Amino acid sequence: MPDVLIADDHPLFRDALQRAVVAAVPHASVHCADSVYTLLSLIEQYPDAELLLLDLHMPGARGYSALAHIRGQFPGLPTIVVSGHEDVQVARRALAHGASAYIPKSTPGEDIITAIRKVLDGDVWLPHQFVGGGMELKPDEAAVADRIATLTPQQFRVLTMIAEGLLNKQIAYDLGVSEATVKAHMTAIMRKLGVNNRTQVALAASHLAIDQEALPPLPDDDE
C-alpha cells in the first residue's frame, strides 16, 4: 500500500485531507502529524512515502522554511502545500520552493482529490483561478532556502526556535538537551547560513516568511 503523509495541526481539516487521500488512492496508508517535528520523524519512519500534504502554518513551520527544509532533505517526496492563504503570490512562491501543488483550505473536496491524483501522476496542480504566470524567488530568499535545506532535522528545530525568540536555556529545556548542545547546534547553523550571531540567524529565516509584519521581534544576540 502506498504511504501518504499529512502534516496539519487542525484536526478537522486533517481529517478532511485524510478522506480526500483515501478517495483519491483507496489503498493508501495515511500517516498524520500535527507538527513539523512529528512530521520529520514520520518521514524517517516511512522513507518511501509517495506523497506529503503540508500545512504552511503549524508548530515548527514558519512561512516556507519547513517546505524548503523538507524539499532539500527529501527531494524525492512530492509535496502538496495546503494553506488558508488565498493569495496567488503565496501559491506561486510555494511552487518556486519546490511544491507540486497548492491547495487553499477553501478548496472543494473534489478538487483536492483531483490535485492529489495529478501530483501522484507527476503533474503540477493549482486552483484554476491561480493558473497562468510564474514566479522566481528573490535571490536572498532562494539562497536562504538552499542553506536551510542543508540543516539536520535537529538544527532545523533549533533554527525555528531561535526565529521564535526563544533563549538557549528555553530551547535546551524544550528539546531535553544541555545548553552546550544547543550552542553547538547554533555554531553549526551559523556556519551553514553564513552568519555570525543569533540575530542574523533570525533575520535570515525571515526571508522565508509569508507575512513580514507578523514576525516576532528579532532576538538579542546575548548568548
Side-chain angles (χ1 to χ4, degrees), residues 25-86:
V25 191
H27 301 295
S29 181
V30 183
H31 313 280
C32 297
D34 60 2
S35 73
V36 172
Y37 313 132
T38 307
L39 170 62
L40 293 174
S41 297
L42 267 185
I43 296 175
E44 292 180 358
Q45 187 176 353
Y46 301 99
D48 298 322
E50 295 193 12
L51 181 65
L52 165 64
L53 289 89
L54 175 68
D55 186 5
L56 285 182
H57 295 284
M58 59 188 302
R62 295 186 58 80
Y64 300 96
S65 61
L67 174 62
H69 177 67
I70 289 168
R71 292 299 302 148
Q73 293 290 307
F74 311 98
L77 178 61
T79 301
I80 294 175
V81 165
V82 295
S83 174
H85 286 277
E86 303 279 345

Side-chain angles (χ1 to χ4, degrees), residues 23 35 69 111 159 211:
S35 73
H69 177 67
D111 287 347
L159 168 71
D211 184 358

Side-chain angles (χ1 to χ4, degrees), residues 8-218:
D8 193 296
D9 64 330
H10 294 90
L12 291 178
F13 196 74
R14 192 167 60 236
D15 289 346
L17 290 175
Q18 188 166 355
R19 289 194 298 272
V21 168
V22 172
V25 191
H27 301 295
S29 181
V30 183
H31 313 280
C32 297
D34 60 2
S35 73
V36 172
Y37 313 132
T38 307
L39 170 62
L40 293 174
S41 297
L42 267 185
I43 296 175
E44 292 180 358
Q45 187 176 353
Y46 301 99
D48 298 322
E50 295 193 12
L51 181 65
L52 165 64
L53 289 89
L54 175 68
D55 186 5
L56 285 182
H57 295 284
M58 59 188 302
R62 295 186 58 80
Y64 300 96
S65 61
L67 174 62
H69 177 67
I70 289 168
R71 292 299 302 148
Q73 293 290 307
F74 311 98
L77 178 61
T79 301
I80 294 175
V81 165
V82 295
S83 174
H85 286 277
E86 303 279 345
D87 188 332
V88 63
Q89 297 302 319
V90 174
R92 289 176 181 169
R93 277 178 76 190
L95 265 60
H97 277 293
S100 296
Y102 184 90
I103 298 176
K105 290 194 173 183
S106 61
T107 303
E110 286 300 318
D111 287 347
I112 297 176
I113 294 169
T114 298
I116 291 169
R117 288 173 175 164
K118 287 282 188 182
V119 171
L120 287 174
D121 286 339
D123 294 329
V124 173
W125 187 91
L126 281 174
H128 66 86
Q129 68 269 27
F130 290 175
V131 173
M135 184 169 188
E136 292 187 3
L137 298 175
K138 296 178 180 178
D140 286 348
E141 182 174 355
V144 170
D146 287 342
R147 291 170 180 172
I148 285 179
T150 69
L151 299 178
T152 67
Q154 192 76 326
Q155 289 167 358
F156 179 73
R157 291 184 70 175
V158 173
L159 168 71
T160 302
M161 293 176 172
I162 292 169
E164 291 173 351
L166 298 184
L167 301 177
N168 285 356
K169 61 183 178 182
Q170 294 171 306
I171 296 173
Y173 178 81
D174 287 348
L175 296 182
V177 299
S178 68
E179 287 191 52
T181 298
V182 173
K183 290 179 180 178
H185 285 315
M186 275 288 301
T187 299
I189 291 167
M190 288 188 289
R191 183 182 71 250
K192 290 182 177 181
L193 295 186
V195 299
N196 299 314
N197 56 54
R198 67 191 296 114
T199 302
Q200 292 175 347
V201 168
L203 184 60
S206 73
H207 286 294
L208 301 187
I210 294 174
D211 184 358
Q212 294 288 331
E213 294 182 358
L215 291 172
L218 291 175

